Each structure stands twice: as structure tokens, then as C-alpha cells.
Amino acid sequence: MCRMINALNRNSWLAVLTMASQCVVAHAAPASAAQASASQAPVAEVRALFANCAACHGPDGGGVADGTIPAIGAQPASVVTQQLLRFRSGERKDLRMQHFADAEHLADRQQIDLVAQHVAGLRRSTPAARGDGTQLALGARRWSEGCAGCHGASAGAVATRGIAALAGQHAPYIARKLREESNGMPGAPTLSQSHAAFFKRLTPVDRAALADYLSRLPPPEPSP
Ligand code: HEC
Ligand code: HEC
């Protein structure tokens, strides 16, 4: 896996270096980390841990415009932690995330929390990919009638309910999630069955409209 990651990151010497050192740490005692001062250790550790995430989600946590990889920068730490734990347990399925949330990559709860806090502090510089802009009124209507009650009108994160911000997310990612969840695709479901039931009532035009509408709302502000 270390080899695969290095190949993935061959264009970024920093990521390769961090990754290489993390691979060493993963397979040998982290003597140097233990010797580092208490204040330095988490900074170096967090950088090494986040290098894995950055390889896919980008250094700003901005994700990938085509919808394969969501933007995660500035999502609340508690929401990121919750999702990492769900991937780790296999409750939420995605082979890549299940791999990178495993105990080889994130040793314990403390490392999960550290990387989640780092993600929460990222300001996205990658703009969200949008739709074609033709169905924004429909998207706004569907949002306010079916979704805003739980997610809030502004589609920001609702940390107390474990809800990630959808505002400023890449439209193709949201559209994909809505489609996969409503199909009940094996491995795809992220959410409860009742959520899937809402999604089933959405037509393809509704899904595209919602995704476009949400992608244009301001993304979450990083937490300090
Ligand atoms: C190999 C690529 C890859 C790596 C490395 C990776 N991710 Fe992901 N991540 C994904 C993909 C793909 C998804 C979307 C999965 C899905 O479709 O449900 C995702 C989803 C997520 C989500 C859920 C977002 C949401 O809105 O529901 C969080 C949180 C997340 N990743 C955090 C991280 C963190 C933190 C790391 C580093 C420890 C990391 N990821 C490493 C590819 C990756
Ligand atoms: C009854 C409350 C409720 C309603 C209504 C609701 N949601 Fe959600 N939604 C949630 C909760 C809670 C989560 C986080 C749960 C989780 O990740 O397991 C969530 C998560 C999501 C996610 C996953 C984000 C991600 O990638 O992690 C999407 C997309 C979403 N909702 C879209 C919608 C849309 C669109 C509607 C309206 C059609 C809607 N929701 C209606 C409660 C609700």
C-alpha cells in the first residue's frame, strides 16, 4: 500500500516524503515521534496523517469536481470523525475510505480526532463544480419542502445531528449520492432506509436541480 500511495503521489515530493515516513512509522516503532516535544509531535503527526487524505481529497480538502471524491474541508470535526468511524466499521461502504480509515492508517481514536480537527480547519480553495443552472428554482423548492427541515435552509452542517454541510459541495457528488442511495445500490447506502425513501421520490431532474442548487450555496467556514 505504501508503494501504491507513493505512485499516486509521484508528482508531489512533499506528499511522497511524508508518505514514505508514515510507511516507516506504520511498520516500525515511532521512536522519533516519541522523542519529539509534546507541542511538536501532533503537528508533525497531523501532517503525516492528512497527507493520505490530501492525495485524494486535495490539500484544501476541496475534493474532485467530477463527483468521485467529495469536498471535506471545513466540515465539523465531529462529522468527519463520525464518518471515519463508520467507514472503519464497514457500516458506510467505500473500498478506498474503508482502507484509509483502517487501523493501519489511523491507529486509534486520537489519530482519527486529530485528522478530523485538521480537516475542520481547512479553507476550500477548489470551487465546487456546478450544474447547468437551468433548474435552480426547482432545486430551491425541493430543498425547502423536503430537506431543509433537517439540514437547515442554508444546507450548512448540523453537527448535533451528524449532518455534513452540503452547501458548496460538488454537484456531481451530490447527484451521485442521491442516485446511489435511492437505488439501494449494494455498498452504496450511506444513510438510513428512511432517507432512501425520500430520495426515491426524487426524479432525475429533481436530483440534478438539488445538486446544482446546493453546489452554489456558500461552503462552510473553517473552524479555528
Ligand atoms: C483513495 C482516495 C481517498 C483517500 C486516501 C481518502 N478518501 Fe475520503 N473519500 C474518498 C471517496 C471516494 C469518498 C466518497 C465515498 C462515497 O462515495 O460515499 C470519501 C468520503 C469521505 C468522507 C465523507 C464525506 C461526506 O460528505 O460524506 C470523509 C469525511 C472523508 N472521506 C475523509 C477522509 C479523510 C479524513 C481521509 C484521510 C484520513 C480520507 N478521507 C482519505 C476517497 C478517499
Ligand atoms: C429526517 C431528517 C432528514 C431529511 C428530511 C433529509 N435528510 Fe439528508 N441527512 C440527514 C442526516 C441525519 C444525515 C447524516 C446521516 C449520515 O451520514 O448517516 C443526512 C445526510 C445526507 C446526505 C449525505 C451527505 C454525505 O455525503 O455524507 C445527503 C446527500 C443528504 N442528506 C441529502 C438530503 C436531501 C437532498 C434531502 C431532501 C430530499 C434530505 N437529505 C432530507 C437527515 C435528513
Side-chain angles (χ1 to χ4, degrees), residues 70 82-83 86 92 142-143 146-151 161-164 166 169 173-174 177-178 190-192 195 198-199 202 210 214:
Q82 181 182 319
Q83 295 302 333
R86 293 179 72 211
R92 179 170 175 181
R142 290 281 175 269
W143 183 255
C147 323
C150 293
H151 284 265
R161 300 181 79 160
I163 297 183
L166 292 173
Q169 183 59 269
Y173 173 75
I174 299 174
K177 278 281 124 187
L178 299 182
T190 310
L191 309 164
S192 66
H195 219 143
F198 298 135
F199 290 175
L202 301 171
L210 276 163
L214 293 169

PDB file of all heavy atoms in Angstrom, residues 70 82-83 86 92 142-143 146-151 161-164 166 169 173-174 177-178 190-192 195 198-199 202 210 214, ligand 2:
ATOM      1  N   PRO A  70     -15.692  13.663  -2.577  1.00  0.00           N
ATOM      2  CA  PRO A  70     -16.353  14.869  -2.053  1.00  0.00           C
ATOM      3  C   PRO A  70     -15.366  15.877  -1.473  1.00  0.00           C
ATOM      4  O   PRO A  70     -14.283  15.512  -1.025  1.00  0.00           O
ATOM      5  CB  PRO A  70     -17.244  14.312  -0.935  1.00  0.00           C
ATOM      6  CG  PRO A  70     -16.574  13.051  -0.494  1.00  0.00           C
ATOM      7  CD  PRO A  70     -15.938  12.483  -1.737  1.00  0.00           C
ATOM      8  N   GLN A  82     -17.202  11.008  12.817  1.00  0.00           N
ATOM      9  CA  GLN A  82     -18.297  10.040  12.728  1.00  0.00           C
ATOM     10  C   GLN A  82     -18.228   9.247  11.421  1.00  0.00           C
ATOM     11  O   GLN A  82     -18.412   8.025  11.413  1.00  0.00           O
ATOM     12  CB  GLN A  82     -19.628  10.791  12.819  1.00  0.00           C
ATOM     13  CG  GLN A  82     -20.837   9.883  12.763  1.00  0.00           C
ATOM     14  CD  GLN A  82     -22.136  10.690  12.809  1.00  0.00           C
ATOM     15  OE1 GLN A  82     -22.266  11.659  13.562  1.00  0.00           O
ATOM     16  NE2 GLN A  82     -23.092  10.313  11.999  1.00  0.00           N
ATOM     17  N   GLN A  83     -17.946   9.948  10.324  1.00  0.00           N
ATOM     18  CA  GLN A  83     -17.887   9.238   9.044  1.00  0.00           C
ATOM     19  C   GLN A  83     -16.668   8.316   8.990  1.00  0.00           C
ATOM     20  O   GLN A  83     -16.752   7.204   8.467  1.00  0.00           O
ATOM     21  CB  GLN A  83     -17.899  10.221   7.873  1.00  0.00           C
ATOM     22  CG  GLN A  83     -19.195  11.018   7.730  1.00  0.00           C
ATOM     23  CD  GLN A  83     -20.443  10.146   7.569  1.00  0.00           C
ATOM     24  OE1 GLN A  83     -20.378   9.025   7.082  1.00  0.00           O
ATOM     25  NE2 GLN A  83     -21.586  10.654   8.001  1.00  0.00           N
ATOM     26  N   ARG A  86     -17.536   5.277  10.752  1.00  0.00           N
ATOM     27  CA  ARG A  86     -18.487   4.439  10.006  1.00  0.00           C
ATOM     28  C   ARG A  86     -17.801   3.690   8.866  1.00  0.00           C
ATOM     29  O   ARG A  86     -18.130   2.542   8.590  1.00  0.00           O
ATOM     30  CB  ARG A  86     -19.634   5.303   9.478  1.00  0.00           C
ATOM     31  CG  ARG A  86     -20.495   5.857  10.616  1.00  0.00           C
ATOM     32  CD  ARG A  86     -21.599   6.732  10.086  1.00  0.00           C
ATOM     33  NE  ARG A  86     -22.598   5.921   9.427  1.00  0.00           N
ATOM     34  CZ  ARG A  86     -23.330   6.327   8.400  1.00  0.00           C
ATOM     35  NH1 ARG A  86     -23.158   7.534   7.910  1.00  0.00           N
ATOM     36  NH2 ARG A  86     -24.213   5.540   7.872  1.00  0.00           N
ATOM     37  N   ARG A  92     -20.509   2.262   6.694  1.00  0.00           N
ATOM     38  CA  ARG A  92     -20.566   3.012   5.424  1.00  0.00           C
ATOM     39  C   ARG A  92     -19.520   2.408   4.499  1.00  0.00           C
ATOM     40  O   ARG A  92     -18.368   2.229   4.917  1.00  0.00           O
ATOM     41  CB  ARG A  92     -20.282   4.502   5.661  1.00  0.00           C
ATOM     42  CG  ARG A  92     -20.309   5.282   4.354  1.00  0.00           C
ATOM     43  CD  ARG A  92     -20.283   6.783   4.557  1.00  0.00           C
ATOM     44  NE  ARG A  92     -20.198   7.447   3.260  1.00  0.00           N
ATOM     45  CZ  ARG A  92     -20.135   8.754   3.092  1.00  0.00           C
ATOM     46  NH1 ARG A  92     -20.131   9.562   4.137  1.00  0.00           N
ATOM     47  NH2 ARG A  92     -20.055   9.271   1.882  1.00  0.00           N
ATOM     48  N   ARG A 142     -37.477  22.089  -3.992  1.00  0.00           N
ATOM     49  CA  ARG A 142     -37.336  20.724  -3.459  1.00  0.00           C
ATOM     50  C   ARG A 142     -36.596  20.745  -2.123  1.00  0.00           C
ATOM     51  O   ARG A 142     -36.929  20.002  -1.209  1.00  0.00           O
ATOM     52  CB  ARG A 142     -36.585  19.829  -4.446  1.00  0.00           C
ATOM     53  CG  ARG A 142     -37.364  19.488  -5.690  1.00  0.00           C
ATOM     54  CD  ARG A 142     -38.371  18.376  -5.431  1.00  0.00           C
ATOM     55  NE  ARG A 142     -39.193  18.136  -6.605  1.00  0.00           N
ATOM     56  CZ  ARG A 142     -40.361  18.751  -6.853  1.00  0.00           C
ATOM     57  NH1 ARG A 142     -40.855  19.653  -6.004  1.00  0.00           N
ATOM     58  NH2 ARG A 142     -41.043  18.480  -7.937  1.00  0.00           N
ATOM     59  N   TRP A 143     -35.576  21.586  -2.044  1.00  0.00           N
ATOM     60  CA  TRP A 143     -34.792  21.659  -0.808  1.00  0.00           C
ATOM     61  C   TRP A 143     -35.673  22.126   0.343  1.00  0.00           C
ATOM     62  O   TRP A 143     -35.697  21.519   1.405  1.00  0.00           O
ATOM     63  CB  TRP A 143     -33.585  22.593  -0.978  1.00  0.00           C
ATOM     64  CG  TRP A 143     -32.733  22.620   0.252  1.00  0.00           C
ATOM     65  CD1 TRP A 143     -32.651  23.618   1.178  1.00  0.00           C
ATOM     66  CD2 TRP A 143     -31.873  21.568   0.717  1.00  0.00           C
ATOM     67  NE1 TRP A 143     -31.795  23.259   2.190  1.00  0.00           N
ATOM     68  CE2 TRP A 143     -31.310  22.010   1.936  1.00  0.00           C
ATOM     69  CE3 TRP A 143     -31.531  20.305   0.235  1.00  0.00           C
ATOM     70  CZ2 TRP A 143     -30.414  21.220   2.680  1.00  0.00           C
ATOM     71  CZ3 TRP A 143     -30.647  19.515   0.963  1.00  0.00           C
ATOM     72  CH2 TRP A 143     -30.099  19.980   2.174  1.00  0.00           C
ATOM     73  N   GLY A 146     -38.505  19.403   1.167  1.00  0.00           N
ATOM     74  CA  GLY A 146     -38.190  18.037   1.581  1.00  0.00           C
ATOM     75  C   GLY A 146     -36.964  17.871   2.462  1.00  0.00           C
ATOM     76  O   GLY A 146     -36.793  16.818   3.089  1.00  0.00           O
ATOM     77  N   CYS A 147     -36.087  18.843   2.507  1.00  0.00           N
ATOM     78  CA  CYS A 147     -34.769  18.596   3.097  1.00  0.00           C
ATOM     79  C   CYS A 147     -34.405  19.597   4.190  1.00  0.00           C
ATOM     80  O   CYS A 147     -33.722  19.254   5.159  1.00  0.00           O
ATOM     81  CB  CYS A 147     -33.690  18.644   2.028  1.00  0.00           C
ATOM     82  SG  CYS A 147     -34.168  17.966   0.420  1.00  0.00           S
ATOM     83  N   ALA A 148     -34.831  20.857   4.010  1.00  0.00           N
ATOM     84  CA  ALA A 148     -34.366  21.921   4.903  1.00  0.00           C
ATOM     85  C   ALA A 148     -34.783  21.684   6.345  1.00  0.00           C
ATOM     86  O   ALA A 148     -34.090  22.125   7.270  1.00  0.00           O
ATOM     87  CB  ALA A 148     -34.884  23.270   4.416  1.00  0.00           C
ATOM     88  N   GLY A 149     -35.886  20.964   6.556  1.00  0.00           N
ATOM     89  CA  GLY A 149     -36.350  20.701   7.915  1.00  0.00           C
ATOM     90  C   GLY A 149     -35.271  20.056   8.762  1.00  0.00           C
ATOM     91  O   GLY A 149     -35.138  20.357   9.951  1.00  0.00           O
ATOM     92  N   CYS A 150     -34.505  19.154   8.193  1.00  0.00           N
ATOM     93  CA  CYS A 150     -33.405  18.514   8.933  1.00  0.00           C
ATOM     94  C   CYS A 150     -32.068  19.193   8.656  1.00  0.00           C
ATOM     95  O   CYS A 150     -31.266  19.387   9.561  1.00  0.00           O
ATOM     96  CB  CYS A 150     -33.278  17.042   8.551  1.00  0.00           C
ATOM     97  SG  CYS A 150     -34.679  16.036   9.087  1.00  0.00           S
ATOM     98  N   HIS A 151     -31.821  19.520   7.396  1.00  0.00           N
ATOM     99  CA  HIS A 151     -30.491  20.007   7.004  1.00  0.00           C
ATOM    100  C   HIS A 151     -30.335  21.509   7.193  1.00  0.00           C
ATOM    101  O   HIS A 151     -29.216  22.011   7.079  1.00  0.00           O
ATOM    102  CB  HIS A 151     -30.239  19.693   5.525  1.00  0.00           C
ATOM    103  CG  HIS A 151     -29.903  18.262   5.257  1.00  0.00           C
ATOM    104  ND1 HIS A 151     -28.615  17.802   5.155  1.00  0.00           N
ATOM    105  CD2 HIS A 151     -30.695  17.181   5.077  1.00  0.00           C
ATOM    106  CE1 HIS A 151     -28.621  16.507   4.902  1.00  0.00           C
ATOM    107  NE2 HIS A 151     -29.873  16.090   4.857  1.00  0.00           N
ATOM    108  N   ARG A 161     -26.609  16.682  14.737  1.00  0.00           N
ATOM    109  CA  ARG A 161     -27.296  15.538  14.123  1.00  0.00           C
ATOM    110  C   ARG A 161     -26.378  14.745  13.204  1.00  0.00           C
ATOM    111  O   ARG A 161     -26.838  13.897  12.451  1.00  0.00           O
ATOM    112  CB  ARG A 161     -28.509  16.028  13.308  1.00  0.00           C
ATOM    113  CG  ARG A 161     -29.506  16.770  14.178  1.00  0.00           C
ATOM    114  CD  ARG A 161     -30.699  17.221  13.380  1.00  0.00           C
ATOM    115  NE  ARG A 161     -31.658  16.146  13.153  1.00  0.00           N
ATOM    116  CZ  ARG A 161     -32.925  16.350  12.823  1.00  0.00           C
ATOM    117  NH1 ARG A 161     -33.380  17.581  12.691  1.00  0.00           N
ATOM    118  NH2 ARG A 161     -33.734  15.339  12.617  1.00  0.00           N
ATOM    119  N   GLY A 162     -25.082  15.064  13.229  1.00  0.00           N
ATOM    120  CA  GLY A 162     -24.131  14.330  12.397  1.00  0.00           C
ATOM    121  C   GLY A 162     -24.295  14.615  10.917  1.00  0.00           C
ATOM    122  O   GLY A 162     -23.958  13.790  10.067  1.00  0.00           O
ATOM    123  N   ILE A 163     -24.801  15.805  10.596  1.00  0.00           N
ATOM    124  CA  ILE A 163     -25.061  16.149   9.198  1.00  0.00           C
ATOM    125  C   ILE A 163     -23.925  17.010   8.646  1.00  0.00           C
ATOM    126  O   ILE A 163     -23.594  18.047   9.222  1.00  0.00           O
ATOM    127  CB  ILE A 163     -26.409  16.893   9.055  1.00  0.00           C
ATOM    128  CG1 ILE A 163     -27.553  15.973   9.494  1.00  0.00           C
ATOM    129  CG2 ILE A 163     -26.623  17.392   7.642  1.00  0.00           C
ATOM    130  CD1 ILE A 163     -28.950  16.576   9.324  1.00  0.00           C
ATOM    131  N   ALA A 164     -23.346  16.559   7.548  1.00  0.00           N
ATOM    132  CA  ALA A 164     -22.305  17.335   6.881  1.00  0.00           C
ATOM    133  C   ALA A 164     -22.942  18.481   6.107  1.00  0.00           C
ATOM    134  O   ALA A 164     -24.082  18.372   5.660  1.00  0.00           O
ATOM    135  CB  ALA A 164     -21.530  16.429   5.920  1.00  0.00           C
ATOM    136  N   LEU A 166     -23.878  20.413   2.989  1.00  0.00           N
ATOM    137  CA  LEU A 166     -23.988  20.097   1.565  1.00  0.00           C
ATOM    138  C   LEU A 166     -23.763  21.352   0.730  1.00  0.00           C
ATOM    139  O   LEU A 166     -23.481  21.267  -0.464  1.00  0.00           O
ATOM    140  CB  LEU A 166     -25.357  19.484   1.260  1.00  0.00           C
ATOM    141  CG  LEU A 166     -25.587  18.085   1.852  1.00  0.00           C
ATOM    142  CD1 LEU A 166     -27.019  17.635   1.644  1.00  0.00           C
ATOM    143  CD2 LEU A 166     -24.622  17.077   1.262  1.00  0.00           C
ATOM    144  N   GLN A 169     -20.858  21.857  -1.956  1.00  0.00           N
ATOM    145  CA  GLN A 169     -20.342  20.537  -2.349  1.00  0.00           C
ATOM    146  C   GLN A 169     -20.412  20.426  -3.878  1.00  0.00           C
ATOM    147  O   GLN A 169     -21.267  21.060  -4.508  1.00  0.00           O
ATOM    148  CB  GLN A 169     -21.184  19.449  -1.674  1.00  0.00           C
ATOM    149  CG  GLN A 169     -20.746  18.017  -1.925  1.00  0.00           C
ATOM    150  CD  GLN A 169     -19.322  17.740  -1.480  1.00  0.00           C
ATOM    151  OE1 GLN A 169     -18.390  17.899  -2.278  1.00  0.00           O
ATOM    152  NE2 GLN A 169     -19.158  17.362  -0.224  1.00  0.00           N
ATOM    153  N   TYR A 173     -21.117  15.098  -7.096  1.00  0.00           N
ATOM    154  CA  TYR A 173     -21.076  14.205  -5.922  1.00  0.00           C
ATOM    155  C   TYR A 173     -22.471  14.095  -5.306  1.00  0.00           C
ATOM    156  O   TYR A 173     -22.947  12.998  -5.014  1.00  0.00           O
ATOM    157  CB  TYR A 173     -20.064  14.711  -4.878  1.00  0.00           C
ATOM    158  CG  TYR A 173     -20.116  13.908  -3.587  1.00  0.00           C
ATOM    159  CD1 TYR A 173     -19.571  12.629  -3.514  1.00  0.00           C
ATOM    160  CD2 TYR A 173     -20.741  14.416  -2.441  1.00  0.00           C
ATOM    161  CE1 TYR A 173     -19.645  11.875  -2.341  1.00  0.00           C
ATOM    162  CE2 TYR A 173     -20.815  13.676  -1.269  1.00  0.00           C
ATOM    163  CZ  TYR A 173     -20.260  12.410  -1.230  1.00  0.00           C
ATOM    164  OH  TYR A 173     -20.336  11.666  -0.067  1.00  0.00           O
ATOM    165  N   ILE A 174     -23.128  15.230  -5.111  1.00  0.00           N
ATOM    166  CA  ILE A 174     -24.466  15.190  -4.506  1.00  0.00           C
ATOM    167  C   ILE A 174     -25.415  14.398  -5.395  1.00  0.00           C
ATOM    168  O   ILE A 174     -26.144  13.521  -4.915  1.00  0.00           O
ATOM    169  CB  ILE A 174     -25.012  16.620  -4.278  1.00  0.00           C
ATOM    170  CG1 ILE A 174     -24.092  17.386  -3.337  1.00  0.00           C
ATOM    171  CG2 ILE A 174     -26.434  16.563  -3.714  1.00  0.00           C
ATOM    172  CD1 ILE A 174     -24.467  18.846  -3.161  1.00  0.00           C
ATOM    173  N   LYS A 177     -24.707  10.750  -4.966  1.00  0.00           N
ATOM    174  CA  LYS A 177     -25.196  10.219  -3.684  1.00  0.00           C
ATOM    175  C   LYS A 177     -26.706  10.002  -3.729  1.00  0.00           C
ATOM    176  O   LYS A 177     -27.213   8.968  -3.305  1.00  0.00           O
ATOM    177  CB  LYS A 177     -24.862  11.181  -2.543  1.00  0.00           C
ATOM    178  CG  LYS A 177     -23.472  11.074  -2.010  1.00  0.00           C
ATOM    179  CD  LYS A 177     -23.339   9.902  -1.086  1.00  0.00           C
ATOM    180  CE  LYS A 177     -22.231   9.009  -1.560  1.00  0.00           C
ATOM    181  NZ  LYS A 177     -22.088   7.758  -0.860  1.00  0.00           N
ATOM    182  N   LEU A 178     -27.423  10.986  -4.246  1.00  0.00           N
ATOM    183  CA  LEU A 178     -28.884  10.876  -4.280  1.00  0.00           C
ATOM    184  C   LEU A 178     -29.308   9.701  -5.151  1.00  0.00           C
ATOM    185  O   LEU A 178     -30.242   8.971  -4.827  1.00  0.00           O
ATOM    186  CB  LEU A 178     -29.516  12.178  -4.790  1.00  0.00           C
ATOM    187  CG  LEU A 178     -29.255  13.438  -3.950  1.00  0.00           C
ATOM    188  CD1 LEU A 178     -29.977  14.639  -4.537  1.00  0.00           C
ATOM    189  CD2 LEU A 178     -29.662  13.237  -2.503  1.00  0.00           C
ATOM    190  N   THR A 190     -25.351   5.154   2.396  1.00  0.00           N
ATOM    191  CA  THR A 190     -24.658   5.883   3.438  1.00  0.00           C
ATOM    192  C   THR A 190     -25.624   6.094   4.584  1.00  0.00           C
ATOM    193  O   THR A 190     -25.243   6.247   5.720  1.00  0.00           O
ATOM    194  CB  THR A 190     -24.311   7.296   2.919  1.00  0.00           C
ATOM    195  OG1 THR A 190     -23.695   7.168   1.662  1.00  0.00           O
ATOM    196  CG2 THR A 190     -23.424   8.029   3.873  1.00  0.00           C
ATOM    197  N   LEU A 191     -26.866   6.172   4.243  1.00  0.00           N
ATOM    198  CA  LEU A 191     -27.847   6.740   5.149  1.00  0.00           C
ATOM    199  C   LEU A 191     -28.868   5.694   5.549  1.00  0.00           C
ATOM    200  O   LEU A 191     -28.849   4.561   5.070  1.00  0.00           O
ATOM    201  CB  LEU A 191     -28.549   7.900   4.426  1.00  0.00           C
ATOM    202  CG  LEU A 191     -27.581   8.902   3.796  1.00  0.00           C
ATOM    203  CD1 LEU A 191     -28.290   9.765   2.800  1.00  0.00           C
ATOM    204  CD2 LEU A 191     -26.936   9.725   4.873  1.00  0.00           C
ATOM    205  N   SER A 192     -29.779   6.110   6.371  1.00  0.00           N
ATOM    206  CA  SER A 192     -30.799   5.178   6.842  1.00  0.00           C
ATOM    207  C   SER A 192     -31.788   4.855   5.725  1.00  0.00           C
ATOM    208  O   SER A 192     -31.880   5.569   4.725  1.00  0.00           O
ATOM    209  CB  SER A 192     -31.553   5.817   7.998  1.00  0.00           C
ATOM    210  OG  SER A 192     -32.254   6.923   7.494  1.00  0.00           O
ATOM    211  N   HIS A 195     -34.159   7.672   4.785  1.00  0.00           N
ATOM    212  CA  HIS A 195     -33.587   8.658   3.885  1.00  0.00           C
ATOM    213  C   HIS A 195     -33.717   8.182   2.440  1.00  0.00           C
ATOM    214  O   HIS A 195     -34.086   8.938   1.556  1.00  0.00           O
ATOM    215  CB  HIS A 195     -32.115   8.853   4.226  1.00  0.00           C
ATOM    216  CG  HIS A 195     -31.662  10.272   4.128  1.00  0.00           C
ATOM    217  ND1 HIS A 195     -30.764  10.820   4.971  1.00  0.00           N
ATOM    218  CD2 HIS A 195     -31.975  11.255   3.281  1.00  0.00           C
ATOM    219  CE1 HIS A 195     -30.544  12.077   4.653  1.00  0.00           C
ATOM    220  NE2 HIS A 195     -31.270  12.360   3.635  1.00  0.00           N
ATOM    221  N   PHE A 198     -37.002   9.000   0.987  1.00  0.00           N
ATOM    222  CA  PHE A 198     -37.179  10.373   0.450  1.00  0.00           C
ATOM    223  C   PHE A 198     -36.579  10.445  -0.940  1.00  0.00           C
ATOM    224  O   PHE A 198     -37.128  11.054  -1.846  1.00  0.00           O
ATOM    225  CB  PHE A 198     -36.383  11.440   1.209  1.00  0.00           C
ATOM    226  CG  PHE A 198     -36.714  11.632   2.638  1.00  0.00           C
ATOM    227  CD1 PHE A 198     -35.692  11.742   3.578  1.00  0.00           C
ATOM    228  CD2 PHE A 198     -38.023  11.752   3.059  1.00  0.00           C
ATOM    229  CE1 PHE A 198     -35.973  11.955   4.897  1.00  0.00           C
ATOM    230  CE2 PHE A 198     -38.298  11.972   4.382  1.00  0.00           C
ATOM    231  CZ  PHE A 198     -37.267  12.065   5.315  1.00  0.00           C
ATOM    232  N   PHE A 199     -35.401   9.878  -1.062  1.00  0.00           N
ATOM    233  CA  PHE A 199     -34.666  10.028  -2.313  1.00  0.00           C
ATOM    234  C   PHE A 199     -35.405   9.338  -3.462  1.00  0.00           C
ATOM    235  O   PHE A 199     -35.327   9.784  -4.589  1.00  0.00           O
ATOM    236  CB  PHE A 199     -33.250   9.459  -2.184  1.00  0.00           C
ATOM    237  CG  PHE A 199     -32.338  10.266  -1.292  1.00  0.00           C
ATOM    238  CD1 PHE A 199     -31.064   9.814  -1.009  1.00  0.00           C
ATOM    239  CD2 PHE A 199     -32.735  11.473  -0.759  1.00  0.00           C
ATOM    240  CE1 PHE A 199     -30.208  10.546  -0.204  1.00  0.00           C
ATOM    241  CE2 PHE A 199     -31.889  12.219   0.058  1.00  0.00           C
ATOM    242  CZ  PHE A 199     -30.621  11.742   0.336  1.00  0.00           C
ATOM    243  N   LEU A 202     -37.573  11.409  -5.639  1.00  0.00           N
ATOM    244  CA  LEU A 202     -36.973  12.443  -6.486  1.00  0.00           C
ATOM    245  C   LEU A 202     -36.776  11.904  -7.902  1.00  0.00           C
ATOM    246  O   LEU A 202     -36.269  10.792  -8.081  1.00  0.00           O
ATOM    247  CB  LEU A 202     -35.612  12.863  -5.917  1.00  0.00           C
ATOM    248  CG  LEU A 202     -35.598  13.436  -4.490  1.00  0.00           C
ATOM    249  CD1 LEU A 202     -34.158  13.598  -4.000  1.00  0.00           C
ATOM    250  CD2 LEU A 202     -36.338  14.765  -4.428  1.00  0.00           C
ATOM    251  N   LEU A 210     -31.445  19.777  -7.312  1.00  0.00           N
ATOM    252  CA  LEU A 210     -30.981  19.903  -5.934  1.00  0.00           C
ATOM    253  C   LEU A 210     -29.459  20.033  -5.891  1.00  0.00           C
ATOM    254  O   LEU A 210     -28.907  20.874  -5.165  1.00  0.00           O
ATOM    255  CB  LEU A 210     -31.404  18.663  -5.132  1.00  0.00           C
ATOM    256  CG  LEU A 210     -32.815  18.688  -4.564  1.00  0.00           C
ATOM    257  CD1 LEU A 210     -33.257  17.275  -4.157  1.00  0.00           C
ATOM    258  CD2 LEU A 210     -32.878  19.625  -3.349  1.00  0.00           C
ATOM    259  N   LEU A 214     -27.504  23.279  -4.425  1.00  0.00           N
ATOM    260  CA  LEU A 214     -26.644  23.170  -3.238  1.00  0.00           C
ATOM    261  C   LEU A 214     -25.196  23.559  -3.541  1.00  0.00           C
ATOM    262  O   LEU A 214     -24.539  24.205  -2.724  1.00  0.00           O
ATOM    263  CB  LEU A 214     -26.698  21.744  -2.685  1.00  0.00           C
ATOM    264  CG  LEU A 214     -28.055  21.341  -2.110  1.00  0.00           C
ATOM    265  CD1 LEU A 214     -28.098  19.840  -1.836  1.00  0.00           C
ATOM    266  CD2 LEU A 214     -28.352  22.128  -0.827  1.00  0.00           C
TER     267      LEU A 214
HETATM  268  C1  HEC B   2     -35.362  13.438   8.737  1.00  0.00           C
HETATM  269  C2  HEC B   2     -34.203  14.291   8.570  1.00  0.00           C
HETATM  270  C3  HEC B   2     -33.633  14.431   7.160  1.00  0.00           C
HETATM  271  C4  HEC B   2     -34.288  14.787   5.993  1.00  0.00           C
HETATM  272  C5  HEC B   2     -35.751  15.125   5.812  1.00  0.00           C
HETATM  273  C6  HEC B   2     -33.276  14.794   4.955  1.00  0.00           C
HETATM  274  N1  HEC B   2     -32.059  14.456   5.486  1.00  0.00           N
HETATM  275 FE1  HEC B   2     -30.336  14.262   4.438  1.00  0.00          FE
HETATM  276  N2  HEC B   2     -29.352  13.664   6.101  1.00  0.00           N
HETATM  277  C7  HEC B   2     -29.922  13.577   7.361  1.00  0.00           C
HETATM  278  C8  HEC B   2     -28.914  13.077   8.283  1.00  0.00           C
HETATM  279  C9  HEC B   2     -29.127  12.833   9.781  1.00  0.00           C
HETATM  280  C10 HEC B   2     -27.737  12.856   7.530  1.00  0.00           C
HETATM  281  C11 HEC B   2     -26.382  12.340   8.018  1.00  0.00           C
HETATM  282  C12 HEC B   2     -26.568  10.878   8.222  1.00  0.00           C
HETATM  283  C13 HEC B   2     -25.449  10.040   7.820  1.00  0.00           C
HETATM  284  O1  HEC B   2     -24.472  10.460   7.192  1.00  0.00           O
HETATM  285  O2  HEC B   2     -25.599   8.860   8.131  1.00  0.00           O
HETATM  286  C14 HEC B   2     -28.054  13.217   6.159  1.00  0.00           C
HETATM  287  C15 HEC B   2     -27.173  13.111   5.105  1.00  0.00           C
HETATM  288  C16 HEC B   2     -27.449  13.466   3.801  1.00  0.00           C
HETATM  289  C17 HEC B   2     -26.538  13.314   2.693  1.00  0.00           C
HETATM  290  C18 HEC B   2     -25.168  12.654   2.748  1.00  0.00           C
HETATM  291  C19 HEC B   2     -24.046  13.626   2.797  1.00  0.00           C
HETATM  292  C20 HEC B   2     -22.724  12.884   2.762  1.00  0.00           C
HETATM  293  O3  HEC B   2     -22.142  12.764   1.713  1.00  0.00           O
HETATM  294  O4  HEC B   2     -22.316  12.444   3.829  1.00  0.00           O
HETATM  295  C21 HEC B   2     -27.154  13.822   1.597  1.00  0.00           C
HETATM  296  C22 HEC B   2     -26.590  13.912   0.189  1.00  0.00           C
HETATM  297  C23 HEC B   2     -28.450  14.290   2.024  1.00  0.00           C
HETATM  298  N3  HEC B   2     -28.615  14.028   3.373  1.00  0.00           N
HETATM  299  C24 HEC B   2     -29.378  14.896   1.209  1.00  0.00           C
HETATM  300  C25 HEC B   2     -30.694  15.133   1.546  1.00  0.00           C
HETATM  301  C26 HEC B   2     -31.693  15.655   0.632  1.00  0.00           C
HETATM  302  C27 HEC B   2     -31.414  16.067  -0.810  1.00  0.00           C
HETATM  303  C28 HEC B   2     -32.863  15.693   1.310  1.00  0.00           C
HETATM  304  C29 HEC B   2     -34.215  16.112   0.785  1.00  0.00           C
HETATM  305  C30 HEC B   2     -34.703  15.358  -0.351  1.00  0.00           C
HETATM  306  C31 HEC B   2     -32.601  15.204   2.657  1.00  0.00           C
HETATM  307  N4  HEC B   2     -31.282  14.876   2.763  1.00  0.00           N
HETATM  308  C32 HEC B   2     -33.548  15.101   3.643  1.00  0.00           C
HETATM  309  C33 HEC B   2     -31.221  13.894   7.700  1.00  0.00           C
HETATM  310  C34 HEC B   2     -32.224  14.237   6.823  1.00  0.00           C
END
